[in-house]
Amino acid sequence: MIKLDLTKVSAFAALCFMSLGGFSQEKTEAFPFKLPKEKPNRPLSASMERSYDVYGATPQDNELYSQFKYTEIKGLDYSNHDGTITRRDPSKVIFKNGKYYVWYTYRNTKTPPVGGRNAHLATDEIPSADWDLCEIWYATSKDGFTWEEQGVAVPRPPKPNVGWRSVTTTDILEWKGKYYLYYQGFMEASGKRGDDCPVAVSWADSPDGPWTPYNKVVIPNGKPGEWDQYSIHDPYPLVHNGKIYLYYKSDSNGQPDLIRMHGLAIADNPLGPFKKHPLNPISSSGHETTMFPFKEGIASIVIRDGNEHNTIQYAEDGVNFKVASITEFLPNAAGPFIPDAFTDTQNGRGITWGICHFTAVNGWKTNHAILARFDCDLSQDVNDLDMKKNHVYLKPEFFYKMGLNGKQKKRIEEENKRLQN
Ligand code: AAL
């Protein structure tokens, strides 16, 4: 029996294949020095295929790539950052009556929060989480940098109405001349079981109120065992395809392996009924929800959690999102200024700024959040190359702050001992 040495056979076969121009390597020119702006007609590696098919020849050619710049906003007091006042989870920004409006979670309590894990220590005056015992307040601005707080928009309703413990994490919808604020309605201190709540809504004829609570759950939790059974967070309405597309987050899986994913619920009427999309969760990644109409679809700023965090994504149908760019230092809980958020546009122009938040700004003992302004170029109408550089320079001290923990140091010490013995 003839034993074939497969290594020799495969080498011979490869030689024949190559000589017949199998990969036609000798026929194909090397990749050119000047990067072609359009996809060249030649064999490309997977990475170069993606570069042309998904992102654009370079980040600067990608309308959905941007870096983010941040500015401290003026006009809001935080009681010397002692943890008794928080402002967080801002809504989208709208422009009406000659000024900008933003709504947000507002807490003003005698003490800083004890933490969701210590929810058993919370009382009617002591908050568990930073967003416990909160109301929805709002502020206005002429320039988006200096804000004037106007006061409460949606107070906590009396027991047993939805949100009696805390109303938080709101967003705004303008629909047929009326205004709607959707928000998380807590019925117990966050952290008791988990960060559990449904979504409620109030409406008004003016962005300055007065706001009338619907006093019913408008986006219900999922059924037992469903991915969104405990929490409906970050309600985020846009008008798309003639309907209200309300995106939201849920916390699934449970501690200690909590995961965040996004869902979509659609309605013809701001007070519902909202129908959850059968493809939910429509995003495997992200934390707070930040979407905006872009061209004929919807774009999304996907932060913090999940396989595809730190990306900008796009869904032509508003449902099936794909990564459009990868970036860094994305804004948390971003509420962009979106002029065409409610116009049912078929050619969304994109965004250039908004309000976001920074949490635990003074450590966990005085845990509170602050609002800030972010700027970017995710707009068809702006081409700001200073927002589309490839990286941000950071001093070594920034990286040294993310040092090894005790467990990691011990592992390394043991590795060293093993090598040295
Ligand atoms: C935020 C949001 C929701 C959560 C909590 C307050 O970042 O995701 O609002 O419930 O954290």
Side-chain angles (χ1 to χ4, degrees), residues 90-104 137-144 146-151 153 170-172 174 179 181 205-209 211 335-338 342 353-355 371:
S91 70
K92 295 190 291 291
V93 174
I94 67 169
F95 187 78
K96 287 291 169 196
N97 312 322
K99 54 194 170 187
Y100 296 108
Y101 285 76
V102 71
W103 291 262
Y104 44 85
W137 281 41
Y138 77 115
T140 57
S141 173
K142 288 287 191 185
D143 62 5
T146 300
W147 290 82
E148 185 186 349
E149 189 149 75
Q150 300 301 324
T170 190
D171 203 13
I172 184 81
E174 184 181 353
Y179 298 85
L181 282 174
D205 292 320
S206 155
D208 292 294
W211 296 89
F337 171 52
I338 315 174
F342 313 127
W353 72 276
I355 302 297
L371 300 179

Side-chain angles (χ1 to χ4, degrees), residues 88-89 131 168-169 184 186 195 233-234 249 287-288 357:
R88 58 177 293 152
D89 294 302
W131 53 93
T168 83
T169 323
Q184 295 175 203
F186 285 91
D195 197 18
H233 290 163
D234 304 283
K249 160 170 76 77
H287 198 90
E288 297 92 7
H357 76 199

